[in-house]
Amino acid sequence: MKIAVAGGTGVAGRYVVEALRARGHEPVVLSRAKGVDLLDGTGLEAALAGAEGVVDVANVTTMRKSVAVDFFDRAGRNLVAAAERAGVRHLVTLSIVGVDRVRNPYYAGKLRQEEIARGGAVPWTILRATQFHEFAGQVLSGVPGPIAAVPKAPVQPIAVREVGEALADLVAGQPQGMAGELAGPRVESLVDMARALIAAGGARRRPVLPMYFPGGMSSGGLLPTGPGARGTQTFADWLGQQKVTTPA
């Protein structure tokens, strides 16, 4: 099958492309480097010609609600409209477990992305996955200063490679609507993850200050609540495989 991957050069997208190739499919990366711009629709029609499926893992890095909503609204509308014109039979969109429970500016954009996928004419599947193992590092990198304030939050992190493989399997199958939630093998403390990452040299060495975060995150809003597949790689296993280069 010819399957287009929106965001195919990103953190998750690279693994989707890799998994599709391993399964004998023909992935087509939708990116500006390939002449495709999701925000204005440039190049989408040509790139989607003959595609049977689309995996949407396009992303924007922001904590501003207006930026997130604008990106996912424009990119989503253009992608769904072009996929419909191309006769795509299945659109698979990656979302986040807890996106409808945790108040977060970025999540508002992901909810808009889900809404567009559900409202389009292309048969769809939405996969909500838990945070990746990289989440602790992302949190630490966003906290300046000599002390890292990290949310007191239980999370159930999953290997991004396993998410990519799940997306590749889904797009080759029949549309499911809302798929079962995908999560890692066990619940972890985000604070403990941050401390372990620092101890391993994977982030700048400094004290971690556990903080209560309102909005549902600290009360377990990022944990799965329904049935679904579970990954196999733990955070400790993932951390042990990383090539640490950050000086202590």
Side-chain angles (χ1 to χ4, degrees):
M1 294 172 57
K2 178 179 178 180
I3 299 173
V5 183
T9 59
V11 173
R14 294 193 298 270
Y15 287 109
V16 175
V17 170
E18 179 182 299
L20 288 171
R21 287 201 179 107
R23 288 155 174 75
H25 301 298
E26 178 192 351
V28 176
V29 175
L30 307 182
S31 69
R32 289 182 177 177
K34 302 290 185 179
V36 179
D37 190 331
L38 294 175
L39 294 181
D40 64 16
T42 300
L44 270 174
E45 184 172 350
L48 292 179
E52 295 185 57
V54 172
V55 178
D56 186 5
V57 286
N59 194 30
V60 61
T61 302
T62 184
M63 283 303 292
R64 291 177 57 192
K65 179 179 177 179
S66 60
V67 174
V69 172
D70 178 69
F71 174 86
F72 287 112
D73 181 85
R74 287 199 287 156
R77 286 181 180 276
N78 287 332
L79 184 60
V80 170
E84 180 182 357
R85 292 193 299 269
V88 169
R89 69 165 188 85
H90 193 184
L91 167 67
V92 176
T93 300
L94 176 63
S95 191
I96 305 167
V97 167
V99 71
D100 53 347
R101 299 191 305 272
V102 175
R103 293 192 299 276
N104 178 290
Y106 173 77
Y107 286 10
K110 293 297 291 184
L111 284 172
R112 182 64 183 135
Q113 182 187 34
E114 287 191 4
E115 180 183 346
I116 291 169
R118 289 195 302 267
V122 180
W124 57 273
T125 298
I126 293 173
L127 175 66
R128 289 180 175 175
T130 52
Q131 303 291 337
F132 303 152
H133 290 315
E134 289 84 354
F135 185 46
Q138 293 167 351
V139 170
L140 289 170
S141 67
V143 181
I147 297 176
V150 175
K152 290 181 179 178
V155 293
Q156 197 163 334
I158 187 166
V160 63
R161 180 183 296 278
E162 294 180 318
V163 175
E165 291 170 350
L167 291 166
D169 289 336
L170 282 172
V171 74
Q174 296 300 312
Q176 299 182 22
M178 295 300 297
E181 295 178 326
L182 177 62
R186 69 187 189 194
V187 176
E188 308 273 2
S189 159
L190 182 57
V191 170
D192 289 346
M193 290 169 61
R195 286 173 172 158
L197 185 64
I198 291 172
R204 180 163 59 90
R205 189 171 295 278
R206 52 185 166 154
V208 171
L209 177 64
M211 297 285 291
Y212 175 83
F213 272 53
M217 184 175 180
S218 288
S219 57
L222 295 178
L223 297 177
T225 59
R230 298 295 178 260
T232 60
Q233 187 185 51
T234 67
F235 175 73
D237 290 340
W238 172 84
L239 185 58
Q241 294 176 3
Q242 303 310 296
K243 294 181 179 179
V244 175
T245 58
T246 302

